[in-house]
């Protein structure tokens, strides 16, 4: 009888382990919101039984959460520096891989921003939303851009910081700020596409937004997470990335 119970217990444990391995918990940069949901839908359809659970937020905040024990399997950051920080702390396994390049944009619901950055200095612009440059790479690139163009000192009093790039976009979209520095991917989202005015900042004016990903070290390998990462860094979703304004 004891032997039967032991076998049943082992069988149950194996089943639980197998089921756990089919769940992938992803920490994803906020700029990925819409494109990721389309990738998730396509991937789960192609891989029945696999569940992709995603949390969106700022890359810097995710680093702290992961170092403090947050139970993520896979980290998709808004640049390469944050996954490398985790790697240097011994919190990852495998290599840090670039999956896409993001683009910075200036967006407004009320002001024609298509002529470029000089509009930021006009009296019509009283508030400018930017993601927190300490934790959000798109916010860091926006501040870098303003400083390189010798605009920052003139407009810094107008800047309102959001927790992440989605918050900065929402401020502009709802009119809480006249202008927002956002990810082009958010301007291409169903919520914002075709609304307002958008200026795509030339990529040679700021450090490339090299978005990278890495697997998070756990007590046991998550094969489903490894497989999902391989798909993310492949060319399987190139059409979706291009749809949302990213570039390889």
């Amino acid at each position: 009888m004891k032997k039967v119970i032991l076998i049943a217990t082992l069988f149950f444990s194996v089943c639980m382990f197998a089921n756990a391995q089919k769940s992938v918990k992803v920490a994803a940069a906020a700029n990925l919101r819409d494109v990721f949901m389309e990738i998730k839908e396509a991937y789960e359809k192609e891989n029945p039984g696999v569940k992709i659970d995603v949390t969106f937020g700022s890359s810097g905040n995710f680093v702290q959460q992961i170092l403090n024990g947050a139970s993520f399997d896979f980290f998709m950051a808004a640049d390469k520096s944050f996954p490398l920080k985790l790697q240097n702390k011994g919190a990852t396994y495998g290599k840090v891989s670039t999956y896409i390049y993001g683009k910075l944009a200036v967006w407004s619901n009320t002001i024609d921003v298509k002529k470029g950055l000089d509009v930021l200095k006009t009296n019509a612009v009283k508030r400018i939303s930017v993601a927190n440059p300490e934790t959000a790479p798109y916010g860091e690139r926006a501040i870098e851009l303003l400083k390189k163009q010798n605009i920052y000192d003139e407009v810094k009093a107008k800047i309102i910081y959001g927790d992440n790039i989605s918050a900065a976009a929402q401020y502009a979209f709802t009119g809480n700020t006249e202008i927002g520095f956002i990810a082009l991917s958010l301007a291409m989202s169903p919520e914002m596409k075709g609304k307002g005015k958008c200026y795509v900042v030339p990529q040679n004016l700021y450090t490339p937004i090299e978005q990278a990903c890495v697997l998070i070290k756990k007590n046991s390998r998550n094969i489903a997470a490894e497989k999902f990462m391989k798909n993310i860094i492949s060319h399987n979703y190139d059409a979706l990335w291009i749809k949302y304004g990213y570039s390889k």
Side-chain angles (χ1 to χ4, degrees):
M1 183 66 178
K2 289 182 179 180
K3 186 176 180 180
V4 172
I5 293 174
L6 178 60
I7 293 172
T9 301
L10 289 172
F11 178 77
F12 179 76
S13 298
V14 169
C15 290
M16 288 293 289
F17 177 77
N19 287 334
Q21 292 299 88
K22 291 185 179 181
S23 175
V24 181
K25 294 182 179 179
V26 182
N31 68 285
L32 298 172
R33 182 189 62 199
D34 295 285
V35 66
F36 186 92
M37 295 310 292
E38 290 202 36
I39 289 173
K40 165 181 156 69
E41 182 180 356
Y43 188 84
E44 289 180 340
K45 186 175 181 179
E46 295 164 0
N47 298 270
V50 177
K51 177 66 175 175
I52 307 296
D53 295 315
V54 60
T55 301
F56 297 105
S58 67
S59 298
N61 287 341
F62 279 134
V63 169
Q64 293 306 312
Q65 291 173 27
I66 291 166
L67 290 176
N68 288 329
S71 185
F72 292 112
D73 301 302
F74 183 45
F75 180 33
M76 294 178 67
D79 77 352
K80 199 169 186 177
S81 67
F82 288 111
L84 288 174
K85 285 181 182 179
L86 289 177
Q87 187 179 67
N88 291 337
K89 294 286 187 178
T92 67
Y93 73 94
K95 68 177 183 176
V96 172
S97 299
T98 300
Y99 60 93
I100 209 68
Y101 284 84
K103 297 177 185 177
L104 186 65
V106 177
W107 193 93
S108 177
N109 231 338
T110 57
I111 294 173
D112 187 357
V113 297
K114 291 185 177 180
K115 293 182 179 180
L117 299 174
D118 284 342
V119 70
L120 300 174
K121 298 182 286 186
T122 64
N123 291 332
V125 178
K126 295 178 172 53
R127 295 158 298 182
I128 303 166
S129 54
V130 176
N132 183 349
E134 297 298 321
T135 58
Y138 280 83
E140 189 275 333
R141 298 306 194 280
I143 298 301
E144 174 196 312
L145 170 71
L146 291 174
K147 289 180 176 179
K148 283 185 175 180
Q149 300 301 307
N150 297 314
I151 297 173
Y152 178 75
D153 287 338
E154 193 167 346
V155 303
K156 63 182 179 181
K158 300 180 179 183
I159 296 175
I160 294 174
Y161 292 106
D163 289 339
N164 54 57
I165 197 64
S166 288
Q170 193 65 19
Y171 289 163
F173 184 69
T174 57
N176 288 312
T177 62
E178 285 79 24
I179 281 178
F181 277 92
I182 71 173
L184 178 59
S185 59
L186 297 181
M188 302 293 286
S189 69
E191 182 182 21
M192 298 180 74
K193 189 175 182 180
K195 300 172 185 177
K197 301 288 194 300
C198 183
Y199 169 68
V200 182
V201 180
Q203 288 178 279
N204 64 334
L205 296 183
Y206 55 90
T207 302
I209 304 175
E210 184 180 359
Q211 300 201 199
C213 59
V214 72
L215 293 163
I216 305 304
K217 186 180 290 184
K218 306 291 282 290
N219 291 331
S220 59
R221 289 178 59 182
N222 187 329
I223 303 302
E226 294 178 19
K227 183 179 177 183
F228 184 62
M229 178 175 173
K230 287 180 181 178
N231 271 264
I232 288 295
I233 63 178
S234 72
H235 292 282
N236 291 350
Y237 305 112
D238 281 2
L240 285 178
W241 290 120
I242 292 169
K243 174 182 173 181
Y244 283 96
Y246 293 94
S247 62
K248 279 287 190 179

